[in-house]
Amino acid sequence: IDTMCIVVNSSVLSGRADMLAKEIKSAASADSVEVITGLSLIAVVGRGMVRSKGMAARLFTAIAKANINIRMIDQGSSELNIIIGVDDYDFKDTVNAIYNEFFG
């Protein structure tokens, strides 16, 4: 199954989510399009990430130990950052877990 993720600020959608989903479904010839709201994105960025084995494991383990579910993961080809999506209500706890793991 191929998946595409498009991130849009909720305020931009303002009652147009269904219309946008239909347009994306048509344009991409997708089987389905799902709109998920209430996510916060957190980017973990560092030049040393590309050369540091286990960096992603440390990140995901710290978040898991804080009992937080990661809803989205993205890493660019440069490997300079990892972007995660968590439920809005987990945002502060996620940032704290990441901070404590790497700077605690």
Side-chain angles (χ1 to χ4, degrees):
I1 296 174
D2 291 332
T3 303
M4 175 176 37
C5 179
I6 300 171
V7 179
V8 180
N9 186 315
S10 295
S11 66
V12 174
L13 293 178
S14 184
R16 299 182 296 204
D18 290 337
M19 185 241 347
L20 181 61
K22 285 180 187 176
E23 288 184 24
I24 291 170
K25 183 176 180 180
S26 175
S29 299
D31 292 332
S32 65
V33 173
E34 180 181 3
V35 176
I36 300 171
T37 60
L39 293 181
S40 293
L41 301 182
I42 301 166
V44 179
V45 182
R47 284 183 287 202
M49 290 176 65
V50 69
R51 293 178 304 278
S52 299
K53 291 178 177 62
M55 188 66 67
R58 283 180 65 192
L59 173 66
F60 298 137
T61 299
I63 294 168
K65 284 182 180 178
N67 200 32
I68 296 165
N69 183 40
I70 297 173
R71 305 279 310 274
M72 185 197 85
I73 302 169
D74 178 63
Q75 182 174 24
S77 60
S78 66
E79 296 185 42
L80 295 177
N81 70 339
I82 298 173
I83 300 172
I84 59 165
V86 298
D87 290 313
D88 285 342
Y89 56 81
D90 284 329
F91 175 76
K92 287 183 182 179
D93 291 338
T94 305
V95 171
N96 288 336
I98 295 168
Y99 184 86
N100 288 335
E101 174 63 28
F102 293 100
F103 304 104

